Amino acid sequence: MPGRRGVLLALVVSAWPCAAAKAQSDIFSPQTLHGELDLRASATDGEPSFNDQGFGKLRYGGDGGSNGKSLLQVATAAVEWNPHAGWAWSGVIDLIAQPGQEHSVDVDQAYVVFKPAPRSASRFVVRAGYFYPPVSLENDGRLWSLTNTITPSAIDTWIGEEVKVVGVEATVSRSLGDQSLAATAGVFGDDDTAGTLIAYRGWALHDIQSQAFGRYKLPPLAPLIAGLQDSESYSTREIDNRLGAYVRLEWRPTPSLALHAFYYDNNGDGTDATPDQQWAWSTRFWEAGLSWDIDERTRLLAQALAGRTSLGPANARFADVDFHAAYVLARRSVGKGAFSGRLDLFDTDDLAPRRFGDTSETGWALTGAWRYPLNRYLDVRLEALRVDSTRAARVLAGETPHQAQTEVQSSLRVSF
């Protein structure tokens, strides 16, 4: 385990002895344990999945021909321990199991939270450990889970793959009548490989989350790159011993509308590599979003992201990619259920010399979903997703650059 990860994960445990001396602690009880089990049936056509080291955009792939591929399996099993120690301290440790990952069970998040009771209109929260930065609007449930659909947007898929950090984050918020303002700042490490997937595989739409100690397989690489880059990418890795940072600003002009902007820079030097050819990418991006409750039954979510990732000296880049994505999601409650529709747009622009291959792509996706709660523990979801993209690098896998896929899924989700 890298040193910084070990130190910060140790904070999760070491914070309890001093905090637990306070009253009102709940370290281990049924109230501190939460879980989720997702039973999934799916049918997918088109190219093989990225899980099979292809360029497929979806979690499940077809056989690359005209015949679809059907699947029934446990898609996710996860458990969360959420102890509370004293009046201001709490913790989160999430363990997750998803088929196709390197480890059958791994750590998804592990962090401590310090949240003192507010004594004025201002609030203050600190968390430290291994966690997702505050980017996602869709993954708003426990265990970083989705409320509206089965599959997240391209933006949130990438956050789940490559933008998870080991760090410290502080948030200050203040109420101003019906309005509120919040500012968040974080300092982190262990996210040096962020950029590998977006450059060499491109955007995707799936709900597989990165593991603390696991990796993603890469599709075929251009010959010059294959001699420099490992065929796998580890999402959590510190390589250049430089700290990155992010900031987030949020404004709620009314209780029903929230606007935010986010900036991330992993401060990677773009030249350091490990003996197993994992690189310290220089990756930075801007993201902005809104959440709007139009009425009691209708919610609108929208996000846009633009960034750049690169490897090599400034005058000799061998990987240099601009990337962009955006989506709009509308949800409408009908009775006990809810219908959601989402449009995704995404692209990458390869700025490196063509002798290193061509990783440019353009694409779109359209998702329709229905969610119906059976009771407080069970809900059922149906989803249809169509993704259409063009990526020149598909010729490395013997495929045509333009591919389209359709995935139909049903999910029975058990939670407690």
Side-chain angles (χ1 to χ4, degrees):
M1 177 188 293
R4 186 178 290 118
R5 242 193 302 175
V7 170
L8 284 173
L9 290 179
L11 285 174
V12 176
V13 178
S14 64
W16 299 117
C18 59
K22 304 287 185 179
Q24 301 178 345
S25 294
D26 186 3
I27 303 302
F28 192 84
S29 73
Q31 286 69 43
T32 66
L33 294 175
H34 311 279
E36 182 178 287
L37 182 68
D38 185 344
L39 305 176
R40 188 83 54 87
S42 69
T44 313
D45 65 5
E47 62 186 321
S49 168
F50 63 89
N51 274 326
D52 298 319
Q53 291 186 281
F55 287 97
K57 298 297 183 186
L58 303 178
R59 177 170 181 175
Y60 307 112
D63 60 5
S66 60
N67 297 320
K69 183 177 181 180
S70 299
L71 190 65
L72 177 62
Q73 68 172 4
V74 176
T76 300
V79 63
E80 178 176 282
W81 180 40
N82 182 208
H84 295 262
W87 56 277
W89 292 90
S90 63
V92 171
I93 297 180
D94 293 342
L95 300 179
I96 190 167
Q98 294 181 307
Q101 293 279 51
E102 181 178 10
H103 304 298
S104 56
V105 179
D106 208 327
V107 178
D108 188 44
Q109 298 189 94
Y111 58 89
V112 293
V113 178
F114 176 66
K115 186 177 181 180
R119 298 182 181 180
S120 65
S122 298
R123 296 172 181 267
F124 180 68
V125 181
V126 176
R127 62 175 176 166
Y130 176 57
F131 53 81
Y132 297 99
V135 180
S136 177
L137 295 178
E138 296 178 291
N139 289 276
D140 56 358
R142 286 189 179 273
L143 295 155
W144 211 67
S145 61
L146 294 160
T147 298
N148 302 307
T149 60
I150 296 174
T151 304
S153 63
I155 289 176
D156 281 353
T157 295
W158 183 59
I159 299 301
E161 290 176 328
E162 292 200 302
V163 189
K164 188 158 45 175
V165 303
V166 175
V168 179
E169 171 194 282
T171 299
V172 179
S173 59
R174 184 172 179 82
S175 298
L176 304 169
D178 288 339
Q179 301 187 43
S180 67
L181 295 171
T184 300
V187 178
F188 65 86
D190 287 84
D191 201 29
D192 285 353
T193 58
T196 312
L197 290 176
I198 202 70
Y200 293 142
R201 187 218 54 206
W203 295 100
L205 292 98
H206 64 82
D207 60 339
I208 296 179
Q209 299 171 23
S210 62
Q211 298 184 324
F213 309 105
R215 49 73 180 131
Y216 287 97
K217 296 179 181 179
L218 296 179
L221 303 172
L224 286 179
I225 295 299
L228 299 171
Q229 169 69 49
D230 187 15
S231 61
E232 301 173 339
S233 177
Y234 287 81
S235 300
T236 307
R237 186 68 70 91
E238 181 56 47
I239 298 169
D240 60 7
N241 295 312
R242 293 161 54 145
L243 292 175
Y246 59 79
V247 294
R248 185 182 193 270
L249 300 176
E250 181 180 277
W251 174 43
R252 291 181 176 268
T254 70
S256 63
L257 177 63
L259 307 168
H260 78 264
F262 180 91
Y263 179 71
Y264 161 104
D265 187 345
N266 75 347
N267 194 32
D269 69 5
T271 58
D272 278 5
T274 64
D276 59 347
Q277 297 178 306
Q278 299 289 310
W279 288 84
W281 290 73
S282 174
T283 302
R284 55 202 180 278
F285 66 85
W286 287 93
E287 179 272 330
L290 71 84
S291 174
W292 182 21
D293 292 326
I294 299 174
D295 56 40
E296 292 183 353
R297 290 185 170 271
T298 309
R299 169 170 286 188
L300 183 71
L301 301 180
Q303 289 186 269
L305 183 150
R308 187 168 184 172
T309 187
S310 62
L311 287 178
N315 60 348
R317 305 282 195 211
F318 57 88
D320 194 359
V321 177
D322 277 345
F323 53 93
H324 314 85
Y327 76 85
V328 176
L329 182 150
R331 184 188 73 193
R332 176 71 177 179
S333 297
V334 179
K336 292 176 61 179
F339 290 92
S340 297
R342 185 183 65 225
L343 172 65
D344 282 84
L345 301 174
F346 54 85
D347 71 68
T348 62
D349 185 11
D350 191 347
L351 307 176
R354 283 295 174 264
R355 65 179 180 273
F356 297 112
D358 184 358
T359 63
S360 297
E361 75 173 8
T362 59
W364 59 268
L366 190 62
T367 305
W370 175 68
R371 175 178 180 263
Y372 188 83
L374 300 175
N375 54 46
R376 61 180 295 188
Y377 302 108
L378 294 171
D379 76 64
V380 63
R381 305 182 191 199
L382 302 176
E383 179 184 272
L385 194 164
R386 175 74 170 179
V387 59
D388 187 295
S389 65
T390 300
R391 186 176 182 87
R394 283 191 172 106
V395 299
L396 297 171
E399 302 168 2
T400 58
H402 177 258
Q403 296 283 335
Q405 286 184 277
T406 300
E407 184 174 71
V408 179
Q409 298 188 84
S410 64
S411 168
L412 177 63
R413 192 160 299 189
V414 184
S415 58
F416 64 88

